[in-house]
Amino acid sequence: MFKNVLYLTAICISLIAVSCKGNRGGSSNETYKDQVVLHTLSDFKGLNPVTSSDAQAQAALKNVYQGLLDYNFENLKLIPVLATEVPQMVQKNGGVEVTYEIRPEAVWDNGTPVTADDYIFSLKACIVPKVVNEHISSLEDVVDVIKDPTNNKKFTVVFNKTSTQVLDASGSDVRLMPEYVFDPKGVLKKYTIAQLQLANSPAENDPAIIEFANFFNGEKANRDPKFVDGSGAYKLESWVTDQRIVLVKKDNWWGDKLEGTNQFFDAYPKKLVYEVINDFNTALTALKDEKLDVIYVTPVKDYVELDNSSKFKEKFSKSEPDMLSYQYIGINTRDKILSDKKVRQAIAHLVNVDQIIDKVLYGNGFRIVGPVLKSSKEDYNNDLKPIPYNVEQAKKMLAEAGWKDTDGDGILDKVINGQKTDFKIRYDYNSGNPIRESVGLFLQQWLKQAGIELEVKAMDWSLYLDELKKGNSQLFYGAWVMDPRPYDFTQIWHTSSKNGGSNYTGFGTAETDKMIEDIRTDLNPATRAQKIKDFQTILQDETAYIFLYGQNFRNVVHKRFENINPGPVYPGYWEAGFKVKDGYKVEGKE
């Protein structure tokens, strides 16, 4: 039930997550402000739900702008937020239609209702030419939104293709923005959704559209408190570049009437403060001094050693919910040395994943067998087992594939296309990442045991990505962060993604492409689940990826908070739901 999203991680992602486990009671002689201070390693790129692509900003934006639907943090089920209910998908005319109704209580800050017109505007803002929107591609199949003539809060979204992504695209990818604030002149009303979706849209050269796009992409729509204000519980109060971003709770927010309906209607702190501290050692010091309330500890060693600090243990708790992500070593199936799957399988037998977890991650990881995690119970293939570390088996398979040391130099060789070729390959990783460097050095030792010479090469992130996209990397380290939506393997595994997509290994045939397309369009959960399981079997057999491990969040939260709503959904918490436990003093409150 997860989809791989467009995040190939360069370093351990700066996530923030927490848990409600720990002491429910508590006491403190100190007085705390009515706020939650959350660490971020870098400034947000912007606070616009369409143009802001960095993950941290997108997470914070959920406190400001709401979708019709969103995911429950704990059970990963779609739940209604602005919508009254999760709609049914209706297949019609070769496509799919879904009908939504916005909650009657939902209003903007000026008291006017949130309506179908606001949804249509917000959808158009995602697809209008010139607007920067690289992270929402799921809306390309929307051809119309039909308003109910008797109810301005009810409408039907029409897709021209059948897809499992329909509810996510229409319900959670579109965050509603007030039309009266962002488009008071009604510029986008001049064009239909179908017109905006055209390859050569008539809107492309419209001066009014260009003016709108410049504004929408610009600083005001991204960081001006007059504009960063949706139907959510919080609005932007202040933003000091590279220092802090402050969201403040609205007085008399309409959603307070629905408190307890689901996590997205729990909003308690007066302020949410995102504190920018670029140096992690400085951030840890700030945490111990209680200048931060929540932090994701990037360095594994530092996270483990926090237990040695009595000051930390007195004030903070650790939490380790599963993270929707996985790490892997990619193998270029187009490479002349690595094109034989038996060779790729042999290399997989030479990778001691348990040692990586033990020595590099200090035990903070768990083995995986494919891109589907165990938390996706319906789709996970329980018949697959991790490929064992077995040097002798690897040697046997390499010999069967024709690789032998014919000249006694300790390196395997084989005649390929009439030319004697030594088994010398390269492992690429992005520089500045100690985990990936350590894995490469271990891999170098492991492969040497079987007669394979491995060069370990660090690259600047941009060069590393460029090499992947060009298909030049033979072995490479990667990681994917996932979204809790129906699986769609197109981006990584379809042959159409070899150029311009994320199929860096060159994997795929007409048969696997058809499997991927069938998975994307099969709306029956039972039959789709079996297809996903079958696809996992093929992935393990072909071994274009050596699937390594998944991780838990390495999270820390101040003990004064409860009602954290922890879970695997990025970023792993709902900060607006934080409640101060009984026994802690809060400034301005009895």
Side-chain angles (χ1 to χ4, degrees):
M1 70 178 279
F2 308 113
K3 176 189 175 185
N4 298 101
V5 293
L6 297 172
Y7 302 128
L8 181 68
T9 54
I11 57 174
C12 291
I13 301 173
S14 175
L15 308 174
I16 308 166
V18 288
S19 170
C20 59
K21 296 179 181 177
N23 301 323
R24 277 192 59 83
S27 60
S28 175
N29 294 321
E30 300 176 52
T31 299
Y32 295 94
K33 292 182 179 180
D34 187 10
Q35 63 183 23
V36 182
V37 183
L38 305 106
H39 172 241
T40 176
L41 278 170
S42 59
D43 213 358
F44 295 169
K45 300 297 186 293
L47 279 172
N48 180 312
V50 178
T51 63
S52 301
S53 59
D54 54 305
Q56 287 185 316
Q58 281 293 320
L61 277 164
K62 289 189 177 185
N63 297 294
V64 179
Y65 298 102
Q66 298 171 302
L68 298 169
L69 311 173
D70 215 319
Y71 280 92
N72 180 289
F73 283 21
E74 295 185 5
N75 63 21
L76 305 180
K77 302 294 184 184
L78 274 175
I79 55 177
V81 184
L82 275 174
T84 57
E85 62 182 359
V86 179
Q88 295 295 315
M89 292 186 287
V90 178
Q91 292 183 281
K92 189 174 181 180
N93 300 324
V96 179
E97 296 183 358
V98 283
T99 299
Y100 292 97
E101 185 171 356
I102 296 172
R103 294 182 185 272
E105 302 91 346
V107 295
W108 300 111
D109 287 356
N110 67 353
T112 60
V114 181
T115 69
D117 287 321
D118 294 303
Y119 180 86
I120 293 170
F121 160 73
S122 302
L123 190 151
K124 286 181 178 179
C126 292
I127 62 176
V128 67
K130 310 298 184 183
V131 163
V132 176
N133 180 18
E134 297 179 356
H135 67 289
I136 301 178
S137 60
S138 57
L139 297 168
E140 59 188 14
D141 297 329
V142 178
V143 291
D144 201 4
V145 176
I146 303 170
K147 295 191 292 183
D148 186 319
T150 64
N151 182 350
N152 67 356
K153 283 180 172 279
K154 191 173 183 180
F155 54 92
T156 298
V157 186
V158 182
F159 288 76
N160 63 2
K161 294 180 182 178
T162 300
S163 168
T164 58
Q165 308 297 307
V166 163
L167 289 179
D168 297 273
S170 59
S172 62
D173 287 349
V174 179
R175 301 272 159 187
L176 272 69
M177 309 176 77
E179 183 180 33
Y180 73 90
V181 170
F182 287 92
D183 191 17
K185 298 178 182 179
V187 172
L188 300 193
K189 285 182 181 294
K190 296 191 297 182
Y191 296 94
T192 66
I193 292 169
Q195 287 174 323
L196 294 175
Q197 294 280 34
L198 292 173
N200 295 305
S201 171
E204 285 189 10
N205 298 313
D206 184 336
I209 290 292
I210 294 172
E211 181 183 1
F212 170 83
N214 288 337
F215 152 73
F216 201 70
N217 295 333
E219 187 169 318
K220 278 194 173 182
N222 276 270
R223 50 187 295 161
D224 187 330
K226 293 179 181 178
F227 294 98
V228 183
D229 186 4
S231 61
Y234 293 83
K235 60 183 179 180
L236 179 63
E237 180 182 70
S238 61
W239 186 335
V240 181
T241 300
D242 291 326
Q243 293 186 38
R244 71 188 51 82
I245 299 159
V246 180
L247 303 182
V248 63
K249 174 79 185 294
K250 298 175 184 177
D251 296 327
N252 303 315
W253 176 53
W254 69 270
D256 287 332
K257 301 172 187 175
L258 300 174
E259 180 185 350
T261 302
N262 61 53
Q263 66 205 40
F264 297 105
F265 292 102
D266 291 346
Y268 302 112
K270 177 66 176 176
K271 291 184 179 181
L272 302 175
V273 181
Y274 301 87
E275 194 77 13
V276 182
I277 304 177
N278 303 117
D279 179 75
F280 202 83
N281 289 328
T282 303
L284 280 179
T285 300
L287 178 80
K288 293 173 184 177
D289 291 340
E290 294 188 88
K291 294 178 182 178
L292 294 173
D293 296 318
V294 184
I295 191 170
Y296 172 75
V297 184
T298 306
V300 182
K301 186 178 180 182
D302 287 344
Y303 181 73
V304 172
E305 292 179 348
L306 280 174
D307 288 332
N308 299 328
S309 168
S310 58
K311 190 174 182 180
F312 163 78
K313 293 171 75 172
E314 177 189 355
K315 297 291 186 180
F316 296 92
S317 296
K318 284 184 173 181
S319 172
E320 299 171 349
D322 289 352
M323 193 186 296
L324 291 185
S325 69
Y326 65 85
Q327 315 277 319
Y328 67 91
I329 294 173
I331 306 179
N332 191 339
T333 65
R334 294 167 289 197
D335 185 82
K336 65 179 182 179
I337 293 177
L338 304 169
S339 60
D340 185 341
K341 77 174 180 181
K342 183 165 282 191
V343 170
R344 300 194 297 270
Q345 291 169 349
I347 292 175
H349 280 294
L350 292 169
V351 179
N352 192 336
V353 181
D354 291 332
Q355 188 173 359
I356 293 173
I357 293 172
D358 182 42
K359 301 296 185 183
V360 181
L361 300 179
Y362 297 84
N364 286 268
F366 51 89
R367 290 209 64 173
I368 58 171
V369 297
V372 178
L373 302 181
K374 281 188 176 180
S375 51
S376 180
K377 296 178 182 178
E378 299 87 355
D379 299 327
Y380 184 78
N381 190 334
N382 288 291
D383 294 332
L384 294 180
K385 306 302 178 187
I387 296 173
Y389 174 64
N390 190 326
V391 177
E392 294 308 312
Q393 178 65 16
K395 289 179 178 178
K396 179 182 176 183
M397 297 178 76
L398 289 168
E400 291 172 351
W403 289 93
K404 300 177 182 179
D405 182 7
T406 62
D407 53 13
D409 65 354
I411 300 172
L412 297 177
D413 56 76
K414 179 182 178 180
V415 175
I416 300 176
N417 298 327
Q419 183 176 1
K420 178 176 174 289
T421 303
D422 287 334
F423 206 134
K424 296 182 178 181
I425 54 177
R426 193 182 77 198
Y427 164 90
D428 296 338
Y429 73 98
N430 54 290
S431 56
N433 192 308
I435 289 178
R436 298 182 179 196
E437 179 182 17
S438 296
V439 169
L441 295 176
F442 272 124
L443 189 61
Q444 192 175 54
Q445 298 173 24
W446 296 327
L447 267 59
K448 186 177 181 180
Q449 297 175 95
I452 299 173
E453 183 175 305
L454 181 71
E455 176 189 0
V456 176
K457 186 171 183 178
M459 298 181 181
D460 176 77
W461 177 246
S462 59
L463 176 60
Y464 171 68
L465 277 183
D466 191 49
E467 288 292 278
L468 292 183
K469 290 174 182 178
K470 290 178 179 178
N472 292 338
S473 293
Q474 292 173 298
L475 301 185
F476 60 93
Y477 192 113
W480 290 106
V481 176
M482 294 181 287
D483 231 0
R485 58 177 71 194
Y487 277 105
D488 180 4
F489 299 104
T490 305
Q491 174 189 334
I492 300 175
W493 303 107
H494 199 281
T495 57
S496 64
S497 296
K498 290 182 181 179
N499 299 305
S502 304
N503 187 349
Y504 305 131
T505 67
F507 169 90
T509 63
E511 178 187 0
T512 56
D513 281 353
K514 186 176 186 306
M515 291 183 73
I516 292 168
E517 292 156 10
D518 287 346
I519 289 168
R520 180 181 174 86
T521 57
D522 190 344
L523 302 184
N524 183 310
T527 56
R528 184 171 68 247
Q530 186 57 53
K531 292 172 184 175
I532 292 172
K533 291 174 183 176
D534 292 342
F535 188 65
Q536 292 169 68
T537 300
I538 288 177
L539 287 180
Q540 188 178 76
D541 182 60
E542 289 293 330
T543 324
Y545 276 10
I546 300 173
F547 293 96
L548 299 176
Y549 59 87
Q551 294 186 85
N552 301 91
F553 286 104
R554 297 186 291 274
N555 312 315
V556 170
V557 60
H558 198 285
K559 285 185 175 180
R560 74 179 185 276
F561 294 116
E562 61 182 359
N563 198 47
I564 308 303
N565 287 302
V569 177
Y570 179 84
Y573 67 95
W574 178 240
E575 69 265 46
F578 285 22
K579 277 186 175 179
V580 177
K581 298 175 185 175
D582 294 339
Y584 283 91
K585 300 176 184 178
V586 179
E587 187 177 287
K589 292 186 178 182
E590 294 297 329

